[in-house]
Every structure is written in structure tokens, then in C-alpha cells.
Amino acid sequence: DIEDHWGSLKKIASSQEKWQPYAGPGHWNDPDMLVLGIVGWGNPHQTKLKPDEQYLHFSLWSLFSAPLLIGCDLEKMDDFTLSLLTNNEVIAVNQDPLGKQATCVYSIGELRIYVKELEDGSKAVGFCNFDREKADISFRNFDKLNITGKQTVRDLWRQKDIRTLDTGRKPLSLNVPAHGVLLYKFTPVQ
């Protein structure tokens, strides 16, 4: 069972890879409920996950196509928790009709890069930092992610396009917080 601290989140997230082949429409892997907001049974308290860890938590569950089971007290939900749980672009990644679970296709130290194929031909990519230090890199290994050519890169948490990128020519600057995430959608430019 999940608990509202980094060690528990990391352990559960790291164990999901082996279940990826079994996920799909009609049979979803369940890494447990979301521990965001006011949580606890008998001892309600604000989650012990830091804000960046909460973004990572919700992003991973969305990439995993996991059931988004809300584990907090809805009557005591703050604005931050509400914004996490209602981001329609992140939820769309979770609910994508293709139903594929993301896999970690590439790692740079503790930066794990998860890729999820989407029904419209685009890809959701989570640059997930499991390290205690921020990750500042200039990423250019798009072939490892099976992403080629010109792509529109959209930041799903900020709900805005950040740039058009020619993956064979230009790198993408990434500044991923410790225990944090950048969740992007790569869409081929026609």
C-alpha cells in the first residue's frame, strides 16, 4: 500500500515497469490511490509529499494509465490539490483511448524518461527526476525515445506549447527539479 512520503512513491513507481505488458483497455494496472491533499485514516493530515513530488506522482500515474483514485478529503481540498487533479491535458494522457502504459525507455543517472504512445500519433514524455538534486541537461537523444523530425513540444502542466523542435538538429534544454517532472507532449509537425 502507498504512503504519503517519497520512499513509498519511488518504490511503487519503480515497480510498475514489469506490469506494462499487461495494461490496456479493459485491464489496467493499479499502483494504488493518489496521496495528494489531506490524506490519512483516523489521522488526517496534509500529504508529506512536496509539491514537485506531487506533480511527479500525478504525472507517473497518468503515464502508467493507472486508475486515478482520489485519496484525499474533497471537502478540505486546497487550490493546489484541485489544480493537480483537474488538469485536463494531464488527465487526457491518462485517459488516452489507445490505452498504452508508458515505459522507461532511457535513463541518465536518476533521470528516467518515460514515453507513452497516444492514439493521435503523438507521444507523452515524462522526464522524471528520482534524484535529490535537480537535473539540468541539454537533451538530444530523441532517437532513444523513437521521436524524429519536427515536433511541437507542449508542456502539459503549464498547458502551453514551448517550441517547435527539429529533433535532428537542436537539443532541448531540461531543468527538472529534484523529485520532480517535466511532462511534455511531442506532436509531429505536418
Side-chain angles (χ1 to χ4, degrees), residues 108 111 113 127 135-139 172-176 182 184:
I108 304 167
L111 181 69
I113 304 171
F127 297 93
D136 294 326
I137 63 168
S138 183
F139 186 79
L172 183 63
S173 294
L174 301 172
N175 301 301
V176 191
L182 295 177
Y184 291 163

Side-chain angles (χ1 to χ4, degrees), residues 25-73:
H27 44 95
W28 309 107
N29 295 322
D30 182 10
D32 213 339
M33 68 182 177
L34 297 163
V35 285
L36 307 169
I38 304 294
V39 298
W41 301 265
N43 181 24
H45 60 275
Q46 184 65 38
T47 184
K48 295 172 190 158
L49 294 175
K50 296 175 182 162
D52 285 327
E53 294 169 345
Q54 292 179 63
Y55 279 113
L56 179 59
H57 181 19
F58 198 82
S59 296
L60 284 169
W61 266 231
S62 294
L63 288 163
F64 293 156
S65 301
L68 299 177
L69 303 173
I70 301 171
C72 67
D73 185 336

Side-chain angles (χ1 to χ4, degrees), residues 172-190:
L172 183 63
S173 294
L174 301 172
N175 301 301
V176 191
H179 296 180
V181 64
L182 295 177
L183 183 59
Y184 291 163
K185 182 176 179 180
F186 288 78
T187 305
V189 174
Q190 301 300 327

Side-chain angles (χ1 to χ4, degrees), residues 73-144:
D73 185 336
L74 296 177
E75 292 181 347
K76 297 178 183 170
M77 192 179 308
D78 60 18
D79 291 340
F80 176 75
T81 305
L82 182 62
S83 73
L84 283 173
L85 296 174
T86 59
N87 183 309
N88 62 328
E89 293 187 33
V90 177
I91 292 170
V93 169
N94 176 269
Q95 299 290 304
D96 186 74
L98 191 59
K100 288 200 169 187
Q101 178 174 318
T103 56
C104 180
V105 297
Y106 192 65
S107 294
I108 304 167
E110 286 293 304
L111 181 69
R112 300 176 191 172
I113 304 171
Y114 291 85
V115 177
K116 177 177 178 169
E117 295 176 33
L118 303 175
E119 185 181 52
D120 68 0
S122 60
K123 290 184 171 74
V125 179
F127 297 93
C128 303
N129 188 359
F130 284 74
D131 201 351
R132 287 180 279 181
E133 302 294 327
K134 68 180 178 174
D136 294 326
I137 63 168
S138 183
F139 186 79
R140 59 176 68 246
N141 294 328
F142 293 100
D143 57 324
K144 304 279 187 191

